[in-house]
Amino acid sequence: MKTLLKFNEEEYKESAKAIRSARKIAEEAADKVCEEGFSNIFFTAVGGSLSPMMAITEFAKELTSLPIYVEQAAELLTCGNQRLNKNSVVITLSKSGDTKESVAIANYCKEQGIRVICCTGNENSPLAKASTYQVPMKHKNGVEYEYMLLYWLFFRILHNKGEFENYEAFADGLSKLPENLMKVKEQFDPKAEKIAKEHFDAPIQYWIAGNEMWGEAYLFSMCILEEMQWIKTKSVTSAEFFHGTLELIEPGISVFMIKGEGKGRVLDERAQKFLEAHTDKLVVIDTAEYALDDMSKEFRWIVAPLVCSTCLVDRLAAHLESYTGHNLDYRRYYRQFEY
């Protein structure tokens, strides 16, 4: 593999080992709550940790009759939800284990006798201590690894409920995915460099995606471009694009179209057709262009967000940093003081 900008191959491989070792723990937690029984599942987090959860709600619409909810942790804590009760299972994620809002909702659930499964990198963290079950996330980098943990939890539950028959093949494919994603990184890297060079100084960037890919547009536009690069963005779903944002599109406007591989792809293609006719600065991110040797075709739409994440959060972010000169780790406000 060629040398990639700001990419530590050995660290990535070690992270893959760490995540694979957590599969059994994630599956055991899923098995345990299924044995105990539950009425619904709440996925809750804040910021970038919400992104993979957003994808899961889209899968749930097509694959299960279970009541599945995704809530922003601060909103859930403040406004509540009548469906959250002692028969619920809450799944949350925070690598640091000290994200204020996620810790708060976990503590609330603990007080109410509601089971919490947390994915965290710190087994002694406040989040871990407030949770019923803990799934370790020891990876050093890669949002795609966070997806893998949540997938092993969620799809194992569906399998136990008789709604995801080919779980073992899917789960094994996930275990092999990091090697595939390293190839994707290498393939996408020249495109990432070109995109960064041509768009880093755009006055505003528009990001469009839909359905299971929406979380990736949300994460990259807000957590990477706004928080880490201070680049102005607007994100909108492929379907909603035609009800407002389309009026802002004209030649010279930078627009990014993320295409999914599920049923919603037709909505992405509708937006793409319009954009191709009205701006000369359209970038299309299509995960279908990348081979995944160990993943069955029937699961491509489910793993598409991971492919997108490895392209954008890993490769494009690094190249943008090199052109903007703005360190991805620098913040003015976030976690700098109380607010």
Side-chain angles (χ1 to χ4, degrees), residues 129-147:
K129 292 176 180 178
S131 300
T132 316
Y133 305 104
Q134 181 188 146
V135 180
M137 46 189 304
K138 298 295 187 180
H139 65 288
K140 297 293 184 181
N141 55 42
V143 176
E144 56 264 40
Y145 291 136
E146 297 173 11
Y147 274 100

Side-chain angles (χ1 to χ4, degrees), residues 185-249:
K185 292 176 194 291
E186 184 173 349
Q187 185 179 344
F188 182 76
D189 196 66
K191 184 173 182 177
E193 199 278 335
K194 184 174 184 292
I195 293 170
K197 182 178 180 180
E198 294 178 356
H199 298 272
F200 79 94
D201 58 351
I204 188 169
Q205 295 184 12
Y206 290 89
W207 283 79
I208 304 168
N211 302 94
E212 68 276 2
M213 305 303 282
W214 169 243
E216 284 304 306
Y218 159 82
L219 181 148
F220 196 75
S221 62
M222 185 178 74
C223 299
I224 304 298
L225 298 181
E226 292 180 348
E227 178 189 326
M228 300 182 182
Q229 288 291 281
W230 302 356
I231 291 174
K232 294 179 181 179
T233 70
K234 158 73 176 179
S235 54
V236 64
T237 66
S238 304
E240 279 297 297
F241 168 75
F242 290 100
H243 301 279
T245 308
L246 81 167
E247 291 294 339
L248 300 176
I249 306 304

Side-chain angles (χ1 to χ4, degrees), residues 97 118 120 122-134:
C118 79
T120 181
N122 185 349
E123 61 187 13
N124 297 311
S125 65
L127 182 62
K129 292 176 180 178
S131 300
T132 316
Y133 305 104
Q134 181 188 146

Side-chain angles (χ1 to χ4, degrees), residues 207-313:
W207 283 79
I208 304 168
N211 302 94
E212 68 276 2
M213 305 303 282
W214 169 243
E216 284 304 306
Y218 159 82
L219 181 148
F220 196 75
S221 62
M222 185 178 74
C223 299
I224 304 298
L225 298 181
E226 292 180 348
E227 178 189 326
M228 300 182 182
Q229 288 291 281
W230 302 356
I231 291 174
K232 294 179 181 179
T233 70
K234 158 73 176 179
S235 54
V236 64
T237 66
S238 304
E240 279 297 297
F241 168 75
F242 290 100
H243 301 279
T245 308
L246 81 167
E247 291 294 339
L248 300 176
I249 306 304
E250 59 187 14
I253 296 295
S254 293
V255 185
F256 297 79
M257 176 79 242
I258 299 174
K259 297 176 70 174
E261 299 186 46
K263 293 178 180 178
R265 187 177 176 91
V266 295
L267 300 176
D268 302 333
E269 290 175 340
R270 180 190 179 208
Q272 181 181 348
K273 183 177 179 180
F274 176 91
L275 292 164
E276 288 173 340
H278 292 90
T279 181
D280 56 347
K281 287 198 171 184
L282 172 64
V283 175
V284 177
I285 311 294
D286 187 356
T287 59
E289 297 175 358
Y290 303 96
L292 300 176
D293 299 333
D294 300 296
M295 184 60 65
S296 171
K297 186 177 180 180
E298 69 176 296
F299 305 130
R300 285 276 327 200
W301 72 292
I302 297 175
V303 299
L306 286 76
V307 177
C308 182
S309 179
T310 209
C311 290
L312 299 182
V313 178

Side-chain angles (χ1 to χ4, degrees), residues 4-40:
L4 301 178
L5 180 67
K6 289 196 71 174
F7 178 71
N8 186 325
E9 184 177 352
E10 287 305 311
E11 184 177 83
Y12 191 77
K13 290 178 178 179
E14 288 301 313
S15 291
K17 292 179 183 178
I19 289 298
R20 287 174 182 135
S21 69
R23 172 183 170 179
K24 183 179 179 181
I25 299 172
E27 291 175 339
E28 288 174 348
D31 292 346
K32 187 64 177 177
V33 296
C34 286
E35 290 171 9
E36 296 168 346
F38 58 89
S39 59
N40 55 45

Side-chain angles (χ1 to χ4, degrees), residues 42-46 50 53 70-81 84-85 88-94 97-118 126-132:
F42 277 75
F43 288 88
T44 183
V46 296
L50 271 176
M53 297 178 176
V70 169
E71 296 269 7
Q72 208 274 357
E75 292 180 352
L76 181 58
L77 187 66
T78 302
C79 304
N81 188 317
L84 179 63
N85 56 61
S88 300
V89 171
V90 172
I91 298 175
T92 188
L93 185 153
S94 168
D98 63 2
T99 303
K100 182 178 179 181
E101 299 90 342
S102 298
V103 172
I105 193 64
N107 279 322
Y108 168 81
C109 289
K110 184 177 182 180
E111 293 168 1
Q112 301 299 315
I114 301 170
R115 290 160 294 174
V116 176
I117 302 174
C118 79
L127 182 62
K129 292 176 180 178
S131 300
T132 316

